[in-house]
Structures are given as C-alpha cells and as structure tokens.
Amino acid sequence: MNTTTKYAATALAAALGVTVLAGCGGSDDKASGDTGAGSKTVTLVSHDSFNASDAVLKAFTKETGYQVKVLKSGDAGAALNQEILTKGSPRGDVFFGVDNTLLSRALDNGLFTPYEAKGLDRVDADTQLDADHRVTPVDTGDICVNYDKKYFADKKLAPPKSFDDLLKPAYKNLLVTENAATSSPGLGFLLGTVATYGETGYQDYWKKLKDNGVKTVDGWEQAYNEEFSGSAGGKKAKADRPLVVSYASSPPVEVLYADPQPTEAPTGVATGTCFRQIEFAGLLDGAKNEAGGKALLDFLISKQFQEDMPLNMFVNPVAKDAKLPELFTKFGATVDKPATVDPEKIAKNREQWVQSWSSLVVK
C-alpha cells in the first residue's frame, strides 16, 4: 500500500538504504552483490512500501538464479525523482511503484526500455495503459473514504456512500482527508472529485466540502492513525473523525492486526468515493543487468508473486488467474466502478489542480 510522503529530512537516508530480500541461489556474488551483464544480482528500485515474502523471492532465485536486491527510496514521488536525476545511469535494473498519477512523467522522461513481459496476456487489459510496454502493470488499489461502523451504528446514521453524500449536513465535521500536495491518497481523492465533477465542477465541490467541515492533514499516517476514530491507532488517540480517506483494503488490515481478530471489520468503505490507483514496474533504460530485469518483470506478474502481494502490500493483483486471500474476500470492499482519469490528462493538469485545491482548502 503506497501511503504518504513521510520523510522530508530522511529521504536521503532512505534512498541510500539497500535491503537484500532474497539470499539464496548458486552465484558467486558477495553480500554487496556484483552488478552488470552476467551478474546474478538484479536490483529493484522501489518506494518504501514494497514488500514480498522471503519464500516467494527465494523461489524466484531458485527458478532463475538471480538474487533480488531492493533499493527503497521513499514514497513513489521521491523514488521517481531519484530515477529522473540519474536517467541513463540508473541505480538499478527495474523500477517498481510508479502509478497512474505519475506515469506520464516517467514515460516523458524516457526512463524505461520497452519490454513485453511474459504472461501479460493474463493481465487485466484495463490496467495496461502503455501500448509500447515501457511499463508493466503489477497491482491496483482503490483510494476511498472509510467509515467507523460503531460511530454510525451508535448515532443510528447511515454511512455515506458517494461524493455527494459527503456534502450533506448529517456528515458535517466528520471527514478527515490528506493534503493533495503531500499525500498519495490525498491526491487520489482529489482526482476522484475531478473525475466525478469535471475540471470546472471539482472546485465548487471542494468549496462545499470545506463548508461542511472537512479537515485536512499532511499525510495518511496522521489522518488514519491519529484522526480517524475507526482505526486501532485512532481509538488509542481518542480520535473524533469517523470518516477518513484511506483504501478499500484498509478494513482487512484492521482485522489482520487485531488481537483477538474480530469476526467483522470495524471499518467500512464508501464505494462510491473511490479512485483507482494502478502501480507499474519497468526495465530501467541503461540497466546493467537487462536479462535479470526482464526475468524479474516476468516474475512480478506471475501467479505466485501476484497471490503473495495482498497480505504484504495490501493491494490487488492484476493477473486474472491470481486468487485473493480469504481476508480480502471476506473483509475487503469490492469497487465495481472506481473513478479514473487518463494519465496524460493528469500529467497535463496535476499541478494546476493541486494548486487550485490548495488555494481553496488549505489557505
């Protein structure tokens, strides 16, 4: 789950932190790992939220002979900025984590070498946004308003279902969202309103939402774990906002980490407020280990890796043959018609939309 921009002063330290996630395989590489053509180390550059089980990464090593080294570089925006700065002489072989809100920026900067991954025919066509195969879709997630079930049950009030509902007097002073200029879910929620109300109507919507008492904080961590009354962290903090912008996969997380685990998720999802996020991976132009990079891209859309993702990154697989874990099917929300905006349109207008939003909501 790609959450927020959390690291201003620590971004450099994060960018220099290398974690070896798979350490088996019959190669002569040392712990630091040799790189380049013929190397048995393949380096994956990613945002901080990348995670995979040791067993699955060891399976990749056993299958291909390549050991995976992961270079985490902050959130998706910071990681992408690092690759743009090192364009042509990349820090790794594959980049994972650019999403549809940043895709055109990555493609316009020529960061990737085209490669059609093996097994792409098993991947949902709606997620394949680049016809030239410069990037490969890996996962999806839906940014949505979550609600505190207990609050609404106690108040005998139906939770909101749509963007329109959030403007109703019954929900005044109940919603907390993230800053669209500093937070991935905050930006996604803004884009959801642009998709719903248009490039002119979204501003009027936010004026009304502000009048209805929406609270804005810098990032997801603060919004979800300090301001939202439905989360475990929010309960400890005595939070008083029963509505928060988070993810459709947040309810399963609340169940997974509860002790004891409840029979019902304490939070729900307003499925009419969702924006679809798609994350991609690509072979970096100038990669030293191109063969290893291609093998890793193939693996990222394999059934084995795709089924490993949900409980490690709390995202949905893009491979049609990958099955979701019971935790997701039982407690997660199904979003049939999420809002979307064309990546090129986002690239052209993102800064203007964020600036207009900031002048309306944050001033």
Side-chain angles (χ1 to χ4, degrees):
M1 178 188 296
N2 184 17
T3 55
T4 67
T5 306
K6 306 182 198 177
Y7 42 71
T10 60
L12 180 58
L16 296 176
V18 176
T19 305
V20 176
L21 291 185
C24 65
S27 77
D28 294 329
D29 295 339
K30 303 301 181 183
S32 60
D34 297 329
T35 59
S39 170
K40 288 303 180 182
T41 295
V42 56
T43 301
L44 175 71
V45 182
S46 79
H47 55 59
D48 282 349
S49 297
F50 177 84
N51 193 27
S53 68
D54 289 341
V56 165
L57 290 173
K58 286 177 180 177
F60 170 74
T61 301
K62 183 176 181 181
E63 177 184 328
T64 66
Y66 293 110
Q67 175 178 301
V68 181
K69 181 188 293 182
V70 178
L71 179 63
K72 294 188 177 183
S73 305
D75 86 335
L80 179 61
N81 287 340
Q82 286 287 322
E83 291 314 304
I84 290 173
L85 290 172
T86 58
K87 177 183 173 182
S89 184
R91 298 173 299 150
D93 305 303
V94 171
F95 182 87
F96 166 77
V98 61
D99 68 13
N100 47 316
T101 70
L102 298 170
L103 180 59
S104 288
R105 186 178 177 205
L107 298 183
D108 290 346
N109 275 279
L111 292 185
F112 303 113
T113 296
Y115 173 65
E116 186 171 352
K118 296 175 182 176
L120 199 58
D121 58 313
R122 300 167 25 256
V123 172
D124 190 338
D126 290 342
T127 66
Q128 298 185 42
L129 302 184
D130 178 37
D132 295 327
H133 303 299
R134 289 164 292 179
V135 291
T136 301
V138 176
D139 66 74
T140 67
D142 293 305
I143 295 168
C144 316
V145 170
N146 283 210
Y147 59 86
D148 178 354
K149 289 181 177 179
K150 185 177 186 303
Y151 174 91
F152 288 97
D154 289 348
K155 297 291 184 180
K156 294 182 171 56
L157 176 64
K161 296 180 180 179
S162 66
F163 287 110
D164 281 348
D165 284 351
L166 297 173
L167 302 179
K168 294 179 179 178
Y171 308 113
K172 188 176 181 65
N173 299 327
L174 301 188
L175 174 65
V176 58
T177 188
E178 302 84 1
N179 191 319
T182 59
S183 163
S184 177
L187 175 58
F189 188 61
L190 168 59
L191 293 175
T193 64
V194 172
T196 302
Y197 300 103
E199 294 181 57
T200 54
Y202 84 94
Q203 295 186 48
D204 184 58
Y205 176 82
W206 277 96
K207 289 177 184 177
K208 293 177 180 177
L209 196 61
K210 185 177 182 181
D211 289 342
N212 210 38
V214 65
K215 183 175 184 177
T216 303
V217 297
D218 285 341
W220 179 87
E221 184 73 30
Q222 182 182 357
Y224 193 81
N225 287 321
E226 296 179 22
E227 301 286 347
F228 176 47
S229 62
S231 69
K235 289 181 175 66
K236 291 180 181 178
K238 298 182 179 179
D240 60 0
R241 294 262 165 169
L243 297 173
V244 67
V245 173
S246 190
Y247 292 84
S249 56
S250 294
V253 179
E254 289 293 331
V255 173
L256 179 63
Y257 291 109
D259 186 20
Q261 288 190 354
T263 57
E264 180 182 346
T267 60
V269 175
T271 55
T273 64
C274 300
F275 176 80
R276 175 63 49 86
Q277 207 173 25
I278 306 170
E279 283 191 299
F280 301 86
L283 181 66
L284 286 163
D285 182 51
K288 293 179 180 178
N289 188 352
E290 187 170 304
K294 290 177 178 179
L296 183 56
L297 285 172
D298 295 342
F299 187 70
L300 291 177
I301 59 171
S302 69
K303 187 172 186 288
Q304 186 175 20
F305 184 85
Q306 290 280 300
E307 291 186 341
D308 184 65
M309 286 191 311
L311 294 183
N312 281 290
M313 292 190 283
F314 296 96
V315 291
N316 294 306
V318 294
K320 291 177 284 189
D321 58 348
K323 295 181 180 178
L324 281 170
E326 184 182 5
L327 188 78
F328 264 56
T329 57
K330 186 175 181 180
F331 300 108
T334 300
V335 183
D336 295 322
K337 295 181 179 180
T340 59
V341 180
D342 184 89
E344 292 186 2
K345 192 173 184 179
I346 294 173
K348 183 179 179 180
N349 297 285
R350 178 176 55 241
E351 296 307 318
Q352 176 191 330
W353 290 339
V354 170
Q355 288 176 9
S356 295
W357 178 90
S358 297
S359 66
L360 287 170
V361 181
V362 181
K363 66 178 182 180

